[in-house]
Amino acid sequence: MLRNRFNRKRTGKRKVYNEINMTPILDMTFLLLIAFIITFPALQNGITVNLPQGKADPVPVQKEPITLSVKAGSIYLNKDIISDEELSLKLAEAFKKDPDLSVLLRGDEAESYGRIMDVIKILNRLNIKKISFITETK
């Protein structure tokens, strides 16, 4: 019986292979791994802020703090943009649940001092005393 170059009989049946080609699976796994490595730092902080330079000892944090970012005149609570009134309401609610609430304040170095002071006034009005200013280390 004659066979063609693809190892098939003239009937058109193909030879059955009983092994899995792992190359496409490994390629896809490495692509996903690289995608997660690249996007994870962006997910961690959420808002890109040019922090001012400074030197200070790290602040020990026992609980998950609230992160406030001030950039381009806007206030971000964790990753979400928020108005001053909404910030007051959400912080008051969080402070009622946890009177030992700590806040991390990230202010863009190009941001005006007055806008950052507006956020500090809100924190002071709510009697939140544990405020940490985040800076880049030199």
Side-chain angles (χ1 to χ4, degrees), residues 1-134:
M1 183 170 282
L2 295 173
R3 295 179 184 252
N4 62 12
R5 65 182 201 168
F6 297 112
N7 202 17
R8 287 187 276 167
K9 296 180 183 177
R10 291 207 179 251
T11 60
K13 293 183 180 180
R14 294 184 177 182
K15 184 178 177 183
V16 178
Y17 295 102
N18 58 357
E19 56 189 43
I20 297 174
N21 187 1
M22 295 296 291
T23 305
I25 296 170
L26 291 174
D27 289 345
M28 184 58 69
T29 304
F30 287 130
L31 286 174
L32 288 172
L33 179 66
I34 290 169
F36 285 127
I37 288 172
I38 291 171
T39 58
F40 184 71
L43 296 175
Q44 189 174 3
N45 292 329
I47 308 303
T48 304
V49 176
N50 294 329
L51 297 173
Q53 299 289 321
K55 185 177 181 182
D57 295 331
V59 177
V61 178
Q62 288 79 21
K63 299 177 186 172
E64 186 68 28
I66 292 177
T67 302
L68 296 177
S69 301
V70 182
K71 181 180 182 182
S74 300
I75 302 171
Y76 296 86
L77 178 63
N78 295 330
K79 297 178 197 172
D80 304 323
I81 193 166
I82 193 166
S83 68
D84 292 4
E85 295 80 24
E86 290 175 318
L87 179 65
S88 294
L89 293 173
K90 290 197 177 195
L91 286 177
E93 181 181 311
F95 188 67
K96 284 181 184 176
K97 291 179 184 175
D98 182 15
D100 198 33
L101 181 69
S102 61
V103 175
L104 301 178
L105 184 57
R106 303 172 69 229
D108 194 307
E109 70 179 346
E111 189 62 48
S112 71
Y113 181 70
R115 187 64 178 136
I116 295 172
M117 283 307 297
D118 291 340
V119 175
I120 294 173
K121 286 177 190 175
I122 292 170
L123 295 170
N124 193 23
R125 187 173 45 234
L126 294 172
N127 205 21
I128 297 173
K129 301 297 182 193
K130 291 189 175 184
I131 306 169
S132 299
F133 296 93
I134 307 301

